[in-house]
Amino acid sequence: GDDDDSGEADPYYAAMEAIAIETDGALDEIGDTLTSTSEDDPNYVEIVQDSFIEAGTILEAALIQVGELEPPSEAEDAHATFLEDLATQTANFANFSEDLADVSTIPDLEALFAESDADFTEADTNFEASCLALQDVADEAGADVDLECDV
């Protein structure tokens, strides 16, 4: 190609990667806390409640950061879809945290998880798809980034 496209990819992609890495890392930490906490722990329900509130806060921050970015023209559609799916994911966590606040026993907790599973699975699938679509756009733009799309 000509000299123009041998330069750096739009800084948007690096900014997205930075948000993805930070968000993914923070969510992984919460996941580690959850998996390492036994249901026998007297504070188990509370730890789950706090974890989901924290996860929601992390997603909320990511949503704000992504929303402030100006995608290059080739990424506008993928960005809009990604933002929409991230918003859905964030709302799911917020709603789930509200429902979790009413839970005090492990059976109630398990029932709530079972009830919410479909919503989360659908949101995860959509989010992963929109993230991968954006990753494709980034690859085509020559941006050497990893948007951490594996949910």
Side-chain angles (χ1 to χ4, degrees), residues 27-85:
L27 291 174
D28 279 350
E29 265 178 49
I30 294 173
D32 291 346
T33 301
L34 283 175
T35 49
S36 65
T37 305
S38 159
E39 285 188 7
D40 301 334
D41 188 314
N43 300 318
Y44 181 73
V45 172
E46 211 170 288
I47 291 166
V48 172
Q49 288 166 329
D50 291 347
S51 296
F52 272 88
I53 290 168
E54 200 181 329
T57 307
I58 290 163
L59 287 171
E60 187 74 43
L63 183 63
I64 292 166
Q65 288 175 297
V66 171
E68 285 170 349
L69 296 179
E70 287 287 327
S73 54
E74 78 267 8
E76 274 172 8
D77 291 349
H79 178 86
T81 307
F82 179 86
L83 198 56
E84 209 173 283
D85 289 336

Side-chain angles (χ1 to χ4, degrees), residues 56 59-60 63 80-96 118-127 130:
L59 287 171
E60 187 74 43
L63 183 63
T81 307
F82 179 86
L83 198 56
E84 209 173 283
D85 289 336
L86 181 57
T88 302
Q89 193 77 306
T90 305
N92 273 354
F93 270 83
N95 295 337
F96 189 73
D119 290 342
F120 275 108
T121 304
E122 187 188 351
D124 277 348
T125 305
N126 292 346
F127 179 76
S130 63

